[in-house]
Amino acid sequence: MRIAFDALPLISEKITGIGWCEVGQTQALAALHPENSYTYSYFCKNGDTVKQERIKPFLTNGIKPQSADFSGYLYRAMSTFLPVPYSHFFGKNADITHFFNYIVPPCVHGRTVVTVHDMVYKAFPETVRGRTKFMLNTGLKKSMKRADLIVTDSEFSKREILKYFPKHEKKLRVVPCGVDLERFKPTDDAEHMARVRKSLEIDGDYFLYLGTIEPRKNLERLIRAYSLFSKKNGGDVPRLVLAGGKGWLYDSIFARVAELKLEKQVIFTKYVPSEDMNALMCGAVAFVFPSIYEGFGMPPLEAMACGVPVLSSGEASLPEVTGSCALKCNACSEESIADGLHMLASDAELRKQLSAQGLERAKQFTWEHSAEILYNVYKELM
């Protein structure tokens, strides 16, 4: 098979969960099935060396680049309203083209697969930025109609998609995400962990949240819960580190810390480079992820792979991912989150138990397993 992957999520300034999902699945697929040809396709104006440099680290396992000398932003804007053929830019060589970020453009040659990660723009529209809502409201219905098959990350997301788009039931396939067990694993490299702490200005013990700073991650409620937990324990508690790039509507999250006078206890870090994530996770007392909506939720699984105990909400797909190997809290209750923080801070035996269970749980979600399921989707199309 000649398989092309839309590389838009890989050439952004900061790779998000969607990008890492594409990296995990495509790299594993190319390694497991070298008999096929693979291409990363992306728009790149002639002379745009930045995008060329961003794609380079992923050109492994025989995957080749294919760029079109045109503005990707302009093409996406035009094709929202006009049937500008994608094949005009990328030709007719691919048997299958897979788009990992919701939207299938018009007139793609061969068969098409699209990944629809979740329905948060329908379920919690107030937590989604206006530009994203506009893109999905104007494009997703057409995109799902154009796709030959639709992939989603979890059984929860499948149910959510069918709630809003029941006519596409026969097209839907679940391909769970995975975790890179070479990248996320227990470490005792004290020197690296110390370097990362210093670069992020973290001192002492800490709880860690790692992800985008945005409303649906439930960070304001986490901050209020942390304040409750801190007051009950006289302030002598691990700090709360909120690590990750800024998403949108984050001003109120920062304001909540100031309002509660937690500036010395709550640490916002800069964007954490990929090579530092493992050390940052392994240094934490526990990983906290009280999100109200996730299509899959890779961060708690990555923490489990590091042997770090996890406090997770029981919402959306998160129970499907974490199973019984994480301490659960009610995402809508500050008291429940605060109780979870207290249990993890005070009970070393519980932390040890969750660490061991999490390590075993993570082994069930490898990218190789994910890639094999995806490969069967491609074979079904051919």
Side-chain angles (χ1 to χ4, degrees):
M1 289 186 283
R2 295 167 297 180
I3 302 168
F5 308 119
D6 170 42
L8 175 64
L10 309 187
I11 57 173
S12 302
E13 183 181 357
K14 295 172 182 175
I15 298 181
T16 64
I18 290 174
W20 288 120
C21 175
E22 178 172 359
V23 170
Q25 289 176 343
T26 59
Q27 294 288 315
L29 183 64
L32 289 167
H33 293 283
E35 67 275 14
N36 304 303
S37 67
Y38 303 95
T39 305
Y40 282 136
S41 303
Y42 63 104
F43 287 97
C44 180
K45 288 289 288 178
N46 190 28
D48 187 347
T49 57
V50 174
K51 288 179 180 176
Q52 292 169 5
E53 288 301 312
R54 287 175 183 166
I55 202 71
K56 270 185 183 178
F58 308 115
L59 300 178
T60 58
N61 297 315
I63 306 179
K64 294 179 168 55
Q66 181 188 20
S67 62
D69 182 14
F70 196 76
S71 164
Y73 177 81
L74 182 57
Y75 176 74
R76 289 188 293 277
M78 290 167 49
S79 62
T80 299
F81 304 102
L82 300 169
V84 183
Y86 184 83
S87 59
H88 174 76
F89 299 94
F90 294 102
K92 299 182 178 181
N93 291 323
D95 297 313
I96 295 172
T97 303
H98 188 158
F99 297 88
F100 286 82
N101 196 15
Y102 295 87
I103 300 300
V104 176
C107 306
V108 179
H109 176 74
R111 301 301 183 94
T112 56
V113 177
V114 65
T115 300
V116 177
H117 297 276
D118 59 46
M119 287 281 108
V120 68
Y121 86 105
K122 292 279 195 185
F124 292 95
E126 70 279 6
T127 69
V128 180
R129 75 174 80 201
R131 185 175 66 189
T132 303
K133 267 192 293 190
F134 175 79
M135 175 192 77
L136 294 173
N137 280 320
T138 56
L140 187 57
K141 187 176 180 180
K142 288 184 288 187
S143 179
M144 295 173 80
K145 185 177 180 181
R146 289 171 183 152
D148 291 293
L149 287 177
I150 301 161
V151 163
T152 194
D153 304 332
S154 62
E155 293 293 338
F156 166 78
S157 282
K158 180 180 178 179
R159 293 193 297 273
E160 287 286 280
I161 292 169
L162 291 177
K163 186 190 303 182
Y164 300 104
F165 299 97
K167 66 187 291 184
H168 294 305
E169 182 173 12
K170 291 183 178 179
K171 285 186 179 183
L172 263 173
R173 305 291 182 271
V174 175
V175 180
C177 296
V179 60
D180 185 342
L181 298 178
E182 287 301 312
R183 186 165 159 241
F184 294 99
K185 58 186 177 182
T187 180
D188 55 4
D189 187 344
E191 187 179 331
H192 187 194
M193 287 192 284
R195 270 200 320 272
V196 170
R197 282 175 184 244
K198 185 176 180 181
S199 71
L200 298 175
E201 300 179 351
I202 300 170
D203 183 27
D205 292 338
Y206 60 94
F207 293 116
L208 175 66
Y209 162 84
L210 178 60
T212 310
I213 308 297
E214 62 181 5
R216 70 161 157 150
K217 303 302 183 179
N218 207 24
L219 298 181
E220 281 195 62
R221 193 172 279 122
L222 171 60
I223 291 163
R224 291 196 296 268
Y226 178 79
S227 179
L228 284 177
F229 159 67
S230 180
K231 286 175 182 174
K232 286 180 181 177
N233 290 273
D236 184 20
V237 295
R239 294 184 177 186
L240 175 61
V241 173
L242 303 177
K246 292 177 181 176
W248 81 298
L249 283 183
Y250 49 77
D251 288 340
S252 61
I253 297 170
F254 287 83
R256 188 69 60 194
V257 172
E259 175 193 314
L260 295 170
K261 297 181 171 54
L262 292 171
E263 293 95 332
K264 292 183 179 179
Q265 290 173 279
V266 177
I267 301 169
F268 290 95
T269 75
K270 58 190 177 185
Y271 179 78
V272 181
S274 173
E275 60 270 19
D276 289 343
M277 287 182 182
N278 190 73
L280 180 63
M281 282 190 172
C282 288
V285 171
F287 187 83
V288 293
F289 202 76
S291 181
I292 57 175
Y293 193 97
E294 295 290 328
F296 185 81
M298 285 195 287
L301 190 59
E302 291 164 350
M304 286 179 165
C306 292
V308 177
V310 171
L311 172 65
S312 168
S313 74
E315 308 300 318
S317 64
L318 291 171
E320 195 175 327
V321 174
T322 60
S324 60
C325 305
L327 186 63
K328 298 294 194 302
C329 62
N330 180 347
C332 299
S333 167
E334 294 161 23
E335 290 77 12
S336 175
I337 300 170
D339 287 345
L341 294 174
H342 175 74
M343 289 174 69
L344 286 170
S346 60
D347 192 337
E349 191 56 40
L350 175 64
R351 294 198 302 271
K352 184 178 178 182
Q353 175 188 330
L354 290 174
S355 172
Q357 291 176 342
L359 283 167
E360 291 304 309
R361 181 72 177 176
K363 291 175 185 176
Q364 299 176 30
F365 290 90
T366 66
W367 284 119
E368 288 75 18
H369 177 64
S370 177
E372 281 295 351
I373 298 173
L374 180 60
Y375 188 58
N376 286 331
V377 172
Y378 295 163
K379 287 200 297 183
E380 181 184 350
L381 274 182
M382 298 302 291

